[in-house]
């Protein structure tokens, strides 16, 4: 039986949770200032801030998303883009919205999640490493969806095998030139023999998560990681994801200042990692 689109599953869950924990309205959309911070990892994400102090991050470098976001929601000096907006309405555009709407939608979903976590006092477990607790051995064949140079080094150190699946042909050509000994492909079927798969939460934006899971039938570990992965993990765990590694804002003032100044916000955030094994479930945590 085909599962419902993951966006629908996430929104249905948030709607039920929202009956007990009514969401605050949006206080501001924080847009990165890439021009003043070229090449910086932190300049790849926007953030939704809710009126109760919750935050949600989302990737903005798919296609021309950032340029369109700056044009439509950059905000003039003294304004707060999307202030007063309903975060559930923004979240509803994840499935069928434009690239900009989907980026804002995922940020809103993450902010809504963070809001409830704050209200119930839930602290997701801290990540043991920068890649969401992903560990490797010589027996592992890692499938990487998107390119993670630190993981390439870890595979080499462990003595395992590596297959990299990219969605962009130009990126494949560049990475093949840079890493000639790494198998880099556009063919997701090459995930087939991998027993460990790691991909970014960008798969939620371009709607490829279900396809990537289907392409990796032998994966006993499937991790979704990245700052955009700050959401309830249940819908992902039900599909076969075994680890969700995200980023949470823990110092609001410092984060706002860093975003406004085009600086790194890493010191204002904390990485976490939630494993499917032992996850109590959203109903248990919320009492619903």
């Amino acid at each position: 039986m085909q599962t419902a689109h993951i966006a629908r599953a996430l929104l249905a869950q948030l709607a039920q949770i929202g009956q007990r924990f009514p969401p605050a309205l949006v206080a501001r959309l924080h847009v990165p200032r890439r021009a003043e911070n070229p090449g910086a990892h932190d300049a790849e994400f926007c953030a939704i801030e809710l009126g109760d102090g919750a935050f949600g991050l989302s990737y903005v470098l798919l296609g021309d998303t950032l340029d369109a976001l700056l044009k439509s929601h950059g905000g003039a000096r003294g304004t707060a883009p999307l202030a007063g907006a309903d975060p559930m309405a923004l979240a509803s555009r994840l499935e069928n919205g434009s690239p900009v709407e989907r980026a804002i939608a995922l940020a809103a979903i993450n902010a809504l999640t963070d809001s409830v976590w704050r209200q119930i006092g839930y602290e997701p477990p801290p990540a043991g490493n920068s890649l969401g607790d992903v560990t490797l051995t010589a027996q592992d064949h890692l499938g990487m969806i998107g390119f993670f140079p630190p993981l390439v080094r870890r595979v080499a150190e462990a003595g395992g095998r590596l297959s990299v699946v990219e969605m962009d042909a130009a990126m494949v050509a560049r990475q093949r030139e840079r890493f000639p000994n790494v198998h880099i492909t556009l063919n997701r079927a090459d995930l087939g023999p991998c027993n460990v798969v790691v991909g970014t939460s960008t798969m939620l934006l371009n709607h490829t998560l279900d396809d990537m899971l289907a392409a990796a039938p032998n994966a006993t570990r499937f991790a979704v990681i990245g700052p955009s992965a700050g959401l309830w993990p249940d819908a992902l765990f039900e599909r076969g994801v075994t680890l969700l590694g995200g980023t949470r804002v823990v110092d609001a003032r410092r984060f706002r200042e860093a975003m406004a100044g085009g600086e790194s916000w890493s010191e204002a955030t904390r990485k976490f990692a939630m494993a499917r094994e032992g996850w109590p479930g959203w109903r248990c945590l919320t009492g619903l």
Side-chain angles (χ1 to χ4, degrees), residues 7 17 32 46 49 100 112 139 163 172 188 259:
I17 294 173
C46 70
E49 178 183 356
V100 167
L112 287 163
Q139 288 70 47
S163 297
V172 169
R188 67 184 59 155
M259 286 289 286

Side-chain angles (χ1 to χ4, degrees), residues 23 58 73 113 127 157 178 194 282 288:
S58 185
H73 295 89
T113 303
E157 292 168 357
R178 184 181 175 191
C194 300
W282 67 275
L288 293 171

Side-chain angles (χ1 to χ4, degrees), residues 5-15 88 94 106 109 204 231-236:
H5 191 284
I6 191 168
R8 274 172 261 156
L10 292 169
L11 291 170
Q13 177 189 33
L14 288 172
M88 280 297 296
L94 182 62
L106 186 54
I109 288 171
L204 297 171
L231 65 166
W232 294 99
D234 303 78
L236 282 70

Side-chain angles (χ1 to χ4, degrees), residues 165-239:
V165 174
E166 278 282 4
M167 304 297 290
D168 187 316
M171 180 65 74
V172 169
R174 287 196 298 271
Q175 299 296 5
R176 281 177 176 170
E177 182 176 349
R178 184 181 175 191
F179 298 92
N181 297 322
V182 176
H183 176 56
I184 306 174
T185 177
L186 289 166
N187 186 4
R188 67 184 59 155
D190 286 2
L191 295 173
C194 300
N195 69 307
V196 182
V197 175
V198 177
T200 73
S201 42
T202 303
M203 293 183 287
L204 297 171
L205 289 173
N206 58 19
H207 303 325
T208 58
L209 177 58
D210 285 334
D211 289 338
M212 292 301 183
L213 284 163
N218 293 309
T220 57
R221 289 181 286 159
F222 194 112
V224 174
I225 64 175
S228 301
L231 65 166
W232 294 99
D234 303 78
L236 282 70
F237 287 168
E238 290 167 2
R239 283 165 163 74

